[in-house]
Amino acid sequence: MRNFKDKVVYQIYPRSFMDTNNDGIGDLKGIISKLDYLKELGIDYIWLNPIFPSPQADNGYDVSDYCAIDPMFGTMEDLEALIDEASKRNIYLMFDMVFNHSSTEHKWFKEALKGNEKYKNYYFFKKGKDGKLPTNWCSKFGGPAWKYVPEFDEYYLHLYDEKQADMDWTNEEVRNEFIQILNFWIKKGIRGFRFD
């Protein structure tokens, strides 16, 4: 199913959808428990907001590991069960993939902060100009879009929260990393992606 024009896509924000372990946070098992209801609605796809590990600086849109499940939502086995049970009802999963930036807690950014040039080049690290920021760009969260790193006397770009470092998509290695991530989830049975 590559064409979504005739499909019904139902967005779920997992945190608030259905909590099965009484911790106040919705979870993957909660979505499984409502699949018959979702089938009755006539949906074709469940579009899940990010369920990856995250420090939650921006409701999960600051991803620290693109190939794992945040324990607050459950386990990889829970996700596999959701994929399986949903497919029995002809419902498929679409993931919200946050590729514009990663969390500053991601291993790539941590390596960048150690001075590893390969990983510094995954992001935008720039020198200031005449004692000023590299550009006058503003973060969508307010304030400047650049955060100073004294160890390098450089700034990194964050168009959102300062804990969301922007990825450099002109870098072929970055693109290849994300291709591998997509292939990982395709093999798991994820049938659609929304790119952020």
Side-chain angles (χ1 to χ4, degrees), residues 22-196:
N22 298 313
D23 65 355
I25 299 171
D27 46 54
L28 295 172
K29 287 181 179 177
I31 299 170
I32 294 170
S33 75
K34 295 295 182 181
L35 284 172
D36 288 335
Y37 164 72
L38 295 170
K39 177 67 176 174
E40 285 179 22
L41 293 179
I43 72 169
D44 300 296
Y45 282 83
I46 295 170
W47 163 17
L48 286 180
N49 285 82
I51 57 171
F52 314 108
S54 166
Q56 298 295 316
D58 185 18
N59 298 307
Y61 283 85
D62 49 320
V63 177
S64 58
D65 186 342
Y66 290 98
C67 292
I69 304 300
D70 194 307
M72 81 167 74
F73 300 121
T75 64
M76 188 66 76
E77 290 74 22
D78 294 335
L79 175 69
E80 290 165 352
L82 173 57
I83 293 167
D84 184 55
E85 289 299 319
S87 68
K88 290 176 184 175
R89 296 162 175 83
N90 294 315
I91 297 172
Y92 301 96
L93 268 64
M94 174 187 293
F95 268 5
D96 214 332
M97 302 305 292
V98 190
F99 287 167
N100 177 70
H101 45 255
S102 80
S103 168
T104 53
E105 294 299 313
H106 195 286
K107 62 184 178 183
W108 299 337
F109 194 78
K110 288 181 174 181
E111 282 297 312
L113 289 183
K114 291 177 185 175
N116 185 323
E117 284 299 317
K118 172 182 174 175
Y119 292 104
K120 277 189 76 180
N121 291 331
Y122 277 27
Y123 300 92
F124 294 94
F125 282 87
K126 302 288 182 190
K127 293 285 187 188
K129 294 180 181 177
D130 302 320
K132 297 180 182 177
L133 299 171
T135 70
N136 63 355
W137 297 353
C138 292
S139 162
K140 303 222 186 305
F141 284 20
W146 296 95
K147 173 80 174 174
Y148 186 61
V149 181
E151 294 88 343
F152 306 141
D153 189 29
E154 292 178 334
Y155 298 81
Y156 70 83
L157 179 66
H158 62 91
L159 292 175
Y160 291 86
D161 189 87
E162 68 180 41
K163 295 180 181 175
Q164 295 168 286
D166 277 56
M167 309 298 306
D168 183 354
W169 272 80
T170 65
N171 184 333
E172 186 177 359
E173 288 184 288
V174 169
R175 297 194 303 271
N176 288 337
E177 292 273 17
F178 286 130
I179 288 168
Q180 290 179 45
I181 290 164
L182 290 174
N183 285 332
F184 173 85
W185 291 115
I186 289 168
K187 287 176 184 174
K188 287 280 184 189
I190 302 303
R191 297 282 289 273
F193 299 99
R194 179 259 183 187
F195 297 109
D196 185 295

